[in-house]
Amino acid sequence: MIRRRKPFYSIFTRFWFAARMAMQGVLANPLRSALTILGVAIGVASVVSLMGIGEGARKAVVEQFKSLGSNVIAIQSHHESANFDPDYAYDLIDRVQGMDSATPVAFAKAVMKWRRIRGNVEIIGVNSNYPVIRDHQVLVGRFFNELHVKQRSQVAVIGYNLAKSLSNGRNLVGSSLTLDGSTYTIVGIMSEKGSGNAEGVDDKILVPYSSALKISDTKTVKDIWGKAASKIETDLVVVQLSMIIKTKLGLRKNAPTYKGVTGGEQSTGSAEGAAGEMIVGEGKGEAIMKAAEAQSEVPGDGGEAKPEISGLGDDLVTITSLNQLVEEADNTNKVMTLLLGGIAAVSLLVGGLGIMNIMMVSVSERTVEIGVRRAIGAKQGDLLLQFMLEALYVSIFGSIAGIAAGIWGLSIFNSIGYDTAISFQAIKIATVVALASGLLFGVYPAIAASALPPVEALRRT
């Protein structure tokens, strides 16, 4: 016996008829359908908005770290005994392979006076390598050079926001301002980094570190910023710097140890690397020991005599790779975003259960319709397709409403100052989950409707 295949138009007609019947079923009970759509919409909006807030926070944190520059290595002293001579930054460039540039960093505060404006301002003292190290370009004018640094020239480069507040539309390059009573010539204005980025450099003044040391009345610096040749070499540079600075401070195993007040030998410390940060000189004692009076020749440090320092309760020097901090901040915020999305996904589950409950009620209320359709020749597959399409319609309408509500919610958060981002991945995930849950929770009611015998359905009338 040869079976004839059903023509394509017959299958299309059946599908079209089932789709129309499903739409009529949804529109026949507008309040019930609206409540079901609302449940799905709340779930989708929760996922879109919460993941959008998490994604916005992640991007904001990453941008803040990236604004500090790429392949940047920050060396910071946490005790005055371990402070650096400014020339040591230039020495590190020659001694560390893969380290392209470096600058000593001196921080100071001064009273600024410009025309009738007077107020306190933060100053950063650096050398001419600063724009390269921090990937921060000059917007107007130029940056000071090494000659200015050596001669302690009183020149200044103004941060973007500070220049904007002072200029009133005028070009500040070439004009003068007063810092703690000394006159400085403005030679340039830095480009904008953005609010909260690059440690707020937009609101600060950059001067040669030699001038900054004069303002702060010090001879040493606590910070040195360096830049590696590439991302791959950054970690190697951190390791080299750790060994060099440990030797400089007398913390290497082959370096002489310093005996404390009690006469007991203090720990020589250790170098530890975690989260892209190398800790140098971590001691176990609580008392802060002074530098040894006797100067000793430390091998591998250019023959320069350095004091021994040990027994410090806090970290003596930290060496941080900003690249690693960016990666870790990115990964941490991704996890937080996924957690927020997972919490919001519970709403989608509740919406799916709502679809199943409403569909079961719909089946029980439409037994007569089902019986009549089965009696006049409707097949089980037709009823199954109709009720599945009804669940799918509710999921589609709920997804569209939820996406719109989620984006609207993000715009509200953005307007009140929170960093948000429309995550298309979140929209995709929420929509797929909503449609899948609609179909999944609509299967049982659809099967129950299609399996109802015609005689039993008509008997209930």
Side-chain angles (χ1 to χ4, degrees):
M1 181 178 180
I2 301 175
R3 294 183 179 180
R4 295 182 178 179
R5 294 183 178 180
K6 295 181 180 180
F8 174 76
Y9 68 86
S10 176
I11 298 175
F12 178 78
T13 301
R14 283 179 174 272
F15 182 83
W16 176 250
F17 183 76
R20 290 180 58 189
M21 292 294 293
M23 182 60 71
Q24 290 177 4
V26 172
L27 298 178
N29 296 280
L31 180 60
R32 186 171 63 192
S33 299
L35 292 176
T36 309
I37 291 172
L38 179 62
V40 178
I42 291 175
V44 173
S46 299
V47 173
V48 172
S49 59
L50 287 180
M51 291 192 71
I53 293 172
E55 182 68 11
R58 183 189 70 83
K59 288 185 176 180
V61 172
V62 171
E63 284 300 318
Q64 286 182 359
F65 279 111
K66 285 185 176 180
S67 67
L68 298 175
S70 60
N71 308 327
V72 175
I73 299 165
I75 309 169
Q76 186 176 25
S77 165
H78 299 284
H79 189 266
E80 59 182 8
S81 300
N83 287 356
F84 306 100
D85 186 278
D87 292 335
Y88 192 62
Y90 299 94
D91 186 33
L92 290 177
I93 298 176
D94 297 330
R95 297 179 59 186
V96 179
Q97 184 179 1
M99 192 170 181
D100 277 356
S101 54
T103 176
V105 185
F107 296 97
K109 292 183 178 180
V111 177
M112 181 197 70
K113 185 178 180 181
W114 189 81
R115 296 188 178 179
R116 296 182 180 180
I117 299 175
R118 183 183 180 90
N120 295 325
V121 68
E122 295 185 28
I123 296 172
I124 304 178
V126 291
N127 64 15
S128 60
N129 293 327
Y130 170 83
V132 176
I133 294 174
R134 285 302 178 99
D135 299 327
H136 195 183
Q137 303 305 316
V138 177
L139 180 65
V140 180
R142 59 187 175 86
F143 206 78
F144 47 81
N145 54 40
E146 283 300 309
L147 184 60
H148 290 129
V149 175
K150 293 179 180 179
Q151 294 181 346
R152 294 187 180 182
S153 300
Q154 294 181 341
V155 292
V157 180
I158 310 297
Y160 182 85
N161 290 343
L162 184 59
K164 188 176 180 181
S165 63
L166 297 177
S167 65
N168 292 325
R170 294 185 296 269
N171 186 4
L172 294 178
V173 176
S175 60
S176 300
L177 55 78
T178 302
L179 297 176
D180 278 356
S182 300
T183 302
Y184 283 74
T185 302
I186 301 174
V187 296
I189 298 173
M190 301 303 294
S191 59
E192 184 179 14
K193 276 288 187 176
S195 177
N197 291 336
E199 300 176 337
V201 70
D202 288 345
D203 300 307
K204 299 179 181 180
I205 297 178
L206 300 170
V207 301
Y209 70 82
S210 53
S211 300
L213 291 175
K214 183 179 179 181
I215 293 175
S216 60
D217 194 22
T218 57
K219 296 182 179 180
T220 58
V221 296
K222 290 185 176 181
D223 295 79
I224 294 177
W225 294 341
K227 191 179 186 70
S230 65
K231 185 177 181 180
I232 298 176
E233 292 184 272
T234 303
D235 293 337
L236 297 176
V237 171
V238 170
V239 174
Q240 293 181 67
L241 286 172
S242 173
M243 297 179 66
I244 290 173
I245 293 177
K246 281 179 65 181
T247 301
K248 172 185 173 63
L249 300 177
L251 297 172
R252 294 289 297 274
K253 290 183 178 180
N254 60 349
T257 58
Y258 173 69
K259 294 184 181 295
V261 176
T262 60
E265 185 172 315
Q266 302 294 323
S267 170
T268 58
S270 62
E272 299 178 3
E277 182 176 75
M278 193 69 70
I279 301 174
V280 180
E282 183 179 7
K284 303 300 181 182
E286 296 181 357
I288 298 180
M289 312 302 297
K290 295 182 180 180
E293 296 179 359
Q295 305 268 328
S296 60
E297 191 77 11
V298 180
D301 197 39
E304 183 181 359
K306 297 295 177 184
E308 307 162 35
I309 302 175
S310 61
L312 296 177
D314 299 324
D315 303 334
L316 203 59
V317 176
T318 53
I319 306 171
T320 308
S321 167
L322 299 188
N323 285 350
Q324 189 67 25
L325 292 181
V326 171
E327 293 177 4
E328 292 199 351
D330 190 19
N331 293 334
T332 301
N333 280 277
K334 280 182 179 178
V335 173
M336 292 301 297
T337 301
L338 291 176
L339 288 176
L340 289 174
I343 294 172
V346 176
S347 301
L348 284 175
L349 178 63
V350 175
L353 292 173
I355 291 175
M356 184 174 67
N357 292 333
I358 294 300
M359 294 300 297
M360 288 299 297
V361 172
S362 178
V363 170
S364 63
E365 289 182 353
R366 295 160 66 184
T367 53
V368 177
E369 174 193 338
I370 294 171
V372 172
R373 289 189 60 193
R374 289 296 305 274
I376 62 177
K379 296 184 178 180
Q380 187 174 356
D382 296 329
L383 292 173
L384 179 65
L385 179 61
Q386 175 186 338
F387 280 88
M388 290 290 289
L389 286 175
E390 285 189 24
L392 185 61
Y393 284 154
V394 171
S395 299
I396 292 174
F397 294 149
S399 297
I400 295 173
I403 292 171
I407 294 175
W408 178 69
L410 289 177
S411 65
I412 294 177
F413 276 97
N414 197 30
S415 64
I416 60 179
Y418 288 94
D419 293 311
T420 61
I422 298 176
S423 174
F424 293 100
Q425 183 179 5
I427 293 175
K428 186 190 304 182
I429 293 174
T431 303
V432 171
V433 172
L435 296 180
S437 64
L439 290 175
L440 177 64
F441 289 105
V443 168
Y444 177 72
I447 293 176
S450 62
L452 191 65
V455 177
E456 178 67 19
L458 294 174
R459 187 181 64 81
R460 296 181 184 180
T461 58

